Amino acid sequence: MTENIISADILERENASREAELKRDYESLGERLDRRGIAIDAIRDKVAAFSVAVPSWGVGTGGTRFARFPGAGEPRDIFDKIEDCAVIQQLTRATPNVSLHIPWDKADPKRLKQAASRFGMGFDAMNSNTFSDAVEQKHSYKFGSLTNADSGARNQAVEHNLECIEIGREIGSKALTIWIGDGSNFPGQVNFARAFERYLDSAKAIYAGLPDDWRLFTEHKMYEPAFYSTVVQDWGTNYIIAQELGEKAYCLVDLGHHAPNVNIEMIVSRLIQFKKLGGFHFNDSKYGDDDLDAGSIDPYRLFLVFNELVDAELNKAESFDPAHMLDQSHNVTDPIESLMLSAIEVQRAYAAALLVDRKKLYDFQETNDALMATQTLKAAYRTDVEPILASARQISGGAIDPVAAYRTSGYRQKVAAERPAVAGGSGGIV
């Protein structure tokens, strides 16, 4: 039997106080959508079936290069993290899987499975870490991992990724995500071609260890921590990697890993068209890889990304099965609240994209009616789909208002009393 952390009584009381108002809002929206030929229940059911994975590291307080200010009741280990993730899933019913980061989350696989199954949860893609050095690590990644000039460091990084695959096999994961910070900070520091060749050789060794039913996601990032050049710097390089590795290799798109104002939705379209879109790390940004809450800065861009995804879904695009995960750093908010709202924002973008009148849009595109084409998108985006999202949560056993239910439960105060306070003053994202 699945265990719930937030009391069922609290959830029932919270929902009961909002149920009548939700019913009125849902019926009103249903009438308006019906005039547009849209069945609201069908949209709600699609939203209820949609999910996004939560990152284990996301439930801890983040930080910057300058400082980190610990939050109350921070998780002490992966088992505390799983409990926090279970709260997010219980209240939103949108996050059934947790994505682990090794070695941060390394533990006995049997215990990991037991901890997750206790709350009816599973595991998403495994994430390797060769961008920082672990305790007692023989070779340093200061000057790179999969592309390091030192073959010892490269082999160590390959072995680490193979270990992540083995852990993932034991806990039921089906994918490995590779992101490296390799690059250079000075002109002439590395040879671009040789560094990329070493990356491909290392990645091929990892790919060879991939189970038949797994996928490999490689992730591009324009800059940071290397500021002059980055080995896997954009989607074009990432696409080359996926093509070189084979049919189980796909490109992962992190919304914060691009230059400001880059047309990310067009990149998504290209990767779908050429059958290499692996999935997403959802977040938002103002200046760079800010890892802000999804939809907090540019919700319209998130909608436009989902417009491409829904278009591919409805047209049954070949090899289209994107993985969805949040990847955020919460520096000034309660991470659980931020992750709940981010999961809801991703669902909101999906719901709004489902409302786009595709026939009208295609007709306006084919007749070069630019104004009406963009207004067709805006009509869907401007629709308040909150009643759909709340109803989807309710019928799935979640909270009509997850943040209100969470705060009423006193969960943060409870874990703050149980988990020792963490000293502040450190720099870096942890």
Side-chain angles (χ1 to χ4, degrees):
M1 183 176 177
T2 300
E3 181 179 333
N4 289 322
I5 294 180
I6 305 299
S7 166
D9 291 341
I10 290 176
L11 192 54
E12 288 174 10
R13 287 197 303 270
E14 284 290 309
N15 281 352
S17 68
R18 294 171 173 82
E19 191 169 14
E21 183 176 317
L22 172 60
K23 185 174 184 293
R24 290 195 299 271
D25 291 345
Y26 187 81
E27 289 176 349
S28 174
L29 177 58
E31 290 176 4
R32 285 182 282 131
L33 291 180
D34 188 60
R35 292 196 294 270
R36 290 157 57 178
I38 300 172
I40 190 172
D41 287 352
I43 302 297
R44 181 195 60 190
D45 292 346
K46 276 182 169 286
V47 171
F50 182 92
S51 65
V52 57
V54 285
S56 64
W57 59 96
V59 291
T61 304
T64 69
R65 290 184 296 128
F66 303 101
R68 175 178 177 273
F69 302 96
E74 288 193 293
R76 299 159 293 185
D77 54 29
I78 180 55
F79 301 104
D80 284 351
K81 293 176 185 178
I82 288 174
E83 289 190 358
D84 287 357
C85 290
V87 170
I88 299 169
Q89 164 62 1
Q90 181 187 351
L91 297 179
T92 67
R93 308 307 299 171
T95 59
N97 295 311
V98 182
S99 190
L100 301 188
H101 218 301
I102 306 298
W104 297 340
D105 299 325
K106 191 172 180 179
D108 179 2
K110 290 182 180 178
R111 287 191 65 203
L112 289 172
K113 286 187 70 174
Q114 290 170 353
S117 63
R118 175 182 161 202
F119 304 110
M121 301 187 72
F123 293 101
D124 196 62
M126 301 295 294
N127 299 268
S128 60
N129 179 350
T130 61
F131 52 83
S132 64
D133 290 345
V135 177
E136 298 182 355
Q137 182 176 303
K138 184 176 181 181
H139 301 278
S140 176
Y141 296 135
K142 180 177 181 179
F143 295 107
S145 57
L146 298 181
T147 73
N148 200 309
D150 179 0
S151 62
R154 293 200 306 276
N155 292 336
Q156 176 181 271
V158 169
E159 288 301 316
H160 170 66
N161 278 276
L162 293 175
E163 179 190 27
C164 290
I165 292 173
E166 185 54 38
I167 295 171
R169 288 180 65 167
E170 294 190 55
I171 64 175
S173 177
K174 293 292 182 180
L176 171 70
T177 297
I178 299 177
W179 174 76
I180 60 169
D182 295 26
S184 65
N185 284 291
F186 295 93
Q189 180 182 335
V190 301
N191 180 283
F192 297 147
R194 284 201 296 270
F196 191 51
E197 193 60 44
R198 287 195 288 263
Y199 178 92
L200 289 175
D201 287 344
S202 299
K204 286 174 182 176
I206 298 168
Y207 186 86
L210 209 63
D212 291 340
D213 58 346
W214 273 50
R215 291 189 290 173
L216 178 66
F217 301 143
T218 55
E219 188 175 356
H220 59 273
K221 184 177 182 181
M222 184 183 177
Y223 71 94
E224 194 186 37
F227 287 94
Y228 173 67
S229 71
T230 300
V231 176
V232 187
Q233 85 286 5
D234 59 27
W235 76 274
T237 297
N238 207 359
Y239 177 76
I240 292 172
I241 292 167
Q243 287 288 83
E244 287 287 312
L245 293 184
E247 63 180 11
K248 293 183 292 186
Y250 295 86
C251 303
L252 189 141
V253 177
D254 184 305
L255 297 192
H257 285 192
H258 306 81
N261 303 316
V262 162
N263 193 326
I264 299 176
E265 55 269 27
M266 188 170 70
I267 293 172
V268 171
S269 175
R270 292 286 187 269
L271 293 175
I272 292 171
Q273 186 172 3
F274 291 94
K275 308 174 186 64
K276 283 298 181 183
L277 177 67
F280 295 88
H281 281 179
F282 291 114
N283 49 53
D284 214 334
S285 68
K286 179 67 175 177
Y287 299 106
D289 186 28
D290 307 333
D291 272 353
L292 303 176
D293 292 14
S296 63
I297 300 295
D298 193 351
Y300 192 53
R301 181 176 67 180
L302 184 60
F303 162 77
L304 292 175
V305 166
F306 269 93
N307 178 58
E308 298 301 327
L309 297 179
V310 168
D311 189 70
E313 175 187 319
L314 295 177
N315 286 304
K316 296 180 170 49
E318 188 177 347
S319 301
F320 179 73
D321 184 24
H324 301 122
M325 193 190 88
L326 302 172
D327 184 12
Q328 304 175 174
S329 177
H330 312 105
N331 303 336
V332 296
T333 61
D334 183 323
I336 290 177
E337 294 185 355
S338 275
L339 287 167
M340 287 195 297
L341 291 180
S342 292
I344 292 169
E345 287 305 307
V346 171
Q347 285 188 316
R348 187 186 310 280
Y350 178 54
L354 288 169
L355 301 183
V356 173
D357 189 324
R358 299 283 155 186
K359 185 181 184 307
K360 282 186 178 180
L361 180 62
Y362 296 153
D363 288 345
F364 291 138
Q365 290 169 342
E366 292 302 307
T367 56
N368 297 312
D369 194 334
L371 184 69
M372 292 309 298
T374 197
Q375 286 302 109
T376 300
L377 290 182
K378 290 270 184 83
Y381 174 71
R382 290 171 177 153
T383 303
D384 182 5
V385 297
E386 185 61 38
I388 294 175
L389 307 181
S391 180
R393 289 191 295 272
Q394 184 187 31
I395 66 170
S396 301
I400 292 176
D401 186 336
V403 172
Y406 171 73
R407 292 190 173 189
T408 298
S409 75
Y411 177 80
R412 179 57 64 189
Q413 292 78 9
K414 174 179 176 292
V415 295
E418 296 172 351
R419 303 171 184 173
V422 179
S426 65
I429 299 173
V430 296

